[in-house]
Structures are given as C-alpha cells and as structure tokens.
Amino acid sequence: MENTLKSQIDLKRLPKHIAIIMDGNGRWAKKQGKIRTFGHENGVKAVRDTTEACAELGIEYLTLYAFSTENWNRPKYEVNALMRLLVKTINAETKTLNKNNIRLQAIGDLDSLPKATREELQQAIDNTSSNTRMTLVLALSYSSKWEIMNAVKKLTEAVKKSEINPTDITEHSLEKHLCTAGMPDPELMIRTSGEHRISNFLLWQLAYAEFYFTETLWPDFSKQHLYEAILDYQNRERRFGKTSEQIK
Ligand code: IPE
Ligand code: IPE
Ligand code: MG
C-alpha cells in the first residue's frame, strides 16, 4: 500500500518546502486515558518518519511547528515536559540527522527558550550545518506576528541609519528580515487533527501555499499520510491569480 502511494508521486513536481502544524497529541493521549504529555512523547516517531520520508523523496525543506509563542500559556507542567522532550529528542536524533545528511535549523524567538533547550538546539544546528540533502526547520517559540513585527523593527532601524530608503522597500526587503530568510516559501502546508486554522504559523510565507487538512492525530501520522498529502497537492491546479487557460 505504502509503495503504491509512493510510486504515484511525480518526483518532478514535488513541493520544495513542506510545512506541518503537528497537532492532536493531547487528544491522542486522552483517547487512551493517558495524560497529555504521553501524546507528545508519542509524537516523536511521527517526526522521525515524516522527516525520513521527505528526505527519501527529495523534499528540500521541511518545517515543523513544534511550539508556538501561545503554547507558553499552557500549564507549567506541560511546558516543562515539552522543553525536556525537545532536549532529549534533539540530543538523540542528531546522529541520525548526520547519517541522513540532514541539516537542522530553527525559527522563532529562540532567546526565550530555557538555557538547556537553547544550548542543545544550537549544538545540533552547528553539528549538522554542513549537511546538504534536506533542511529540517523546527519552529520553536514561534509566532508569525512576532516574526513580522520583528522584521518591521529591523527595517525601521535600517531606514533610521539611512541604509535603505523607504521608497526602495520591497517585499524582498522585508523577507530578508524574517526568520525564514533564504528559504523558499512552503508550497504545501499540512495540519493534522482536524483543526482548520493557521494558529499564527508562517502568515507571510504561506500566502500562496496549498493547505491540506487531515483528521489523523499527529502521533498516528505516518509516511503514508504524507504521501497522500503530496498526491493531493499534485492534483491541484495552482493558478496564482491567473485563469485556468493561462496555466495550460
Ligand atoms: C500539538 O498537540 C503539540 C503542541 C502544540 C506542542 P496538542 O498538544 O496541541 O494536542 P491537542 O490539540 O490538545 O490534542
Ligand atoms: C499549534 O497548535 C501549535 C503547534 C502545533 C506547535 P495548537 O494546538 O497550540 O493550536 P490551537 O491553540 O489549537 O490553535
Ligand atoms: Mg492542539
């Protein structure tokens, strides 16, 4: 089954960049009478499988929304558990990332992370920085409004220092100051767990992305689910404001 789905994918029309809102860990745990953090722990396998599947296909960038700015408002116990899980997972997976030639990067307000998490993350980023097969981007303490506001601040400073003239500001000038500077915009955005919202994720970068929603809860998300999402994406006509006739 898995192979037949995979074999239907047109490797010449792959998205360069896939972004995923990994949602539903808490509900997954609750369904089996366990505490929410059990769901987070069981979401790690889905991260591993999805990363591997993307690398095998030849996807260049995979961005995973792991922790939002708003998630700081969760109970302290859960926030601490998530931070610990991050350190543990990053530490355990760095070897595999290197073996698979995958580079790790992170976007978000990384300064707000606890010291141990920040250091572990930075180490993994440095240790994998020369890998070339795929870039795995973790969105951590990330929110898009924060990111855009920050970019505006930096642009304003550049104007103040006369490094740029306000009339010369383009979309590209702002993009240079986003956390995703230098990355292509995601063509495909997947959200699991049946929620149909964007939750402050990549508002600028997803301007023309195709959205794919699945009822599957994140810990159940497998390579096969990823193949289904990519096939769905490949069956769409991306018009970018033009007419269907102009595209053909
Ligand atoms: C996603 O699962 C993981 C994080 C936001 C860290 P949730 O924890 O949001 O799970 P649900 O949505 O409550 O089921
Ligand atoms: C979005 O999921 C953030 C992550 C997946 C890390 P949430 O579960 O926090 O989003 P809302 O609150 O349901 O919109
Ligand atoms: Mg959720």
Side-chain angles (χ1 to χ4, degrees):
M1 183 63 181
E2 185 171 307
N3 279 333
T4 55
L5 273 179
K6 190 180 177 187
S7 63
Q8 286 169 43
I9 295 175
D10 180 352
L11 297 176
K12 289 196 275 311
R13 288 173 49 245
L14 284 174
K16 270 202 177 74
H17 187 171
I18 298 178
I20 306 183
I21 302 180
M22 312 184 285
D23 199 11
N25 295 351
R27 278 163 284 168
W28 185 89
K30 203 172 171 187
K31 266 193 357 192
Q32 27 206 312
K34 298 276 172 47
I35 55 167
R36 296 178 51 80
T37 50
F38 183 71
H40 300 316
E41 284 157 20
N42 280 277
V44 176
K45 186 179 182 295
V47 171
R48 206 179 289 130
D49 290 352
T50 307
T51 305
E52 196 179 274
C54 284
E56 284 165 355
L57 282 170
I59 305 290
E60 292 176 33
Y61 289 86
L62 170 65
T63 297
L64 300 176
Y65 202 5
F67 193 86
S68 74
T69 308
E70 289 77 15
N71 289 148
W72 289 114
N73 298 319
R74 290 192 178 192
K76 202 166 165 36
Y77 170 78
E78 183 171 345
V79 171
N80 290 343
L82 276 166
M83 290 302 142
R84 271 200 307 274
L85 182 65
L86 264 167
V87 173
K88 191 177 133 197
T89 309
I90 294 170
N91 185 286
E93 300 296 324
T94 306
K95 241 207 219 139
T96 314
L97 289 177
N98 276 329
K99 200 180 84 201
N100 292 329
N101 196 11
I102 297 169
R103 174 172 69 148
L104 184 72
Q105 293 206 325
I107 57 172
D109 185 9
L110 306 180
D111 290 339
S112 69
L113 295 171
K115 192 159 169 272
T117 313
R118 207 170 53 231
E119 286 177 358
E120 196 62 52
L121 182 67
Q122 195 53 53
Q123 227 174 60
I125 291 173
D126 294 343
N127 284 341
T128 60
S129 63
S130 51
N131 294 340
T132 53
R133 187 175 175 207
M134 186 178 86
T135 302
L136 171 65
V137 184
L138 292 183
L140 286 172
S141 192
Y142 175 87
S143 91
S144 195
K145 284 195 176 179
W146 168 86
E147 177 190 38
I148 294 170
M149 183 193 67
N150 238 14
V152 171
K153 275 188 195 165
K154 287 181 190 152
L155 259 185
T156 317
E157 278 163 25
V159 168
K160 206 171 146 198
K161 288 192 233 157
S162 302
E163 288 165 7
I164 187 167
N165 200 319
T167 50
D168 295 336
I169 293 176
T170 60
E171 287 183 14
H172 183 66
S173 343
L174 192 120
E175 278 165 359
K176 276 201 307 205
H177 295 290
L178 295 175
C179 302
T180 50
M183 301 178 195
D185 286 342
E187 296 97 327
L188 171 61
M189 195 287 286
I190 300 170
R191 182 167 191 156
T192 58
S193 87
E195 304 297 353
H196 296 184
R197 57 176 169 266
I198 199 163
S199 301
N200 218 345
F201 187 46
L202 302 174
L203 301 178
W204 176 285
Q205 298 87 340
L206 294 177
Y208 250 109
E210 297 295 330
F211 286 11
Y212 180 86
F213 297 103
T214 169
E215 294 292 322
T216 307
L217 302 173
W218 179 252
D220 291 329
F221 195 82
S222 65
K223 287 188 179 183
Q224 191 164 325
H225 291 108
L226 180 86
Y227 301 150
E228 276 168 12
I230 295 176
L231 283 169
D232 194 90
Y233 162 86
Q234 291 191 329
N235 278 319
R236 301 183 190 186
E237 183 179 62
R238 305 188 74 207
R239 290 189 287 276
F240 299 99
K242 295 183 180 172
T243 67
S244 189
E245 290 68 30
Q246 284 176 296
I247 303 299
K248 283 169 186 130

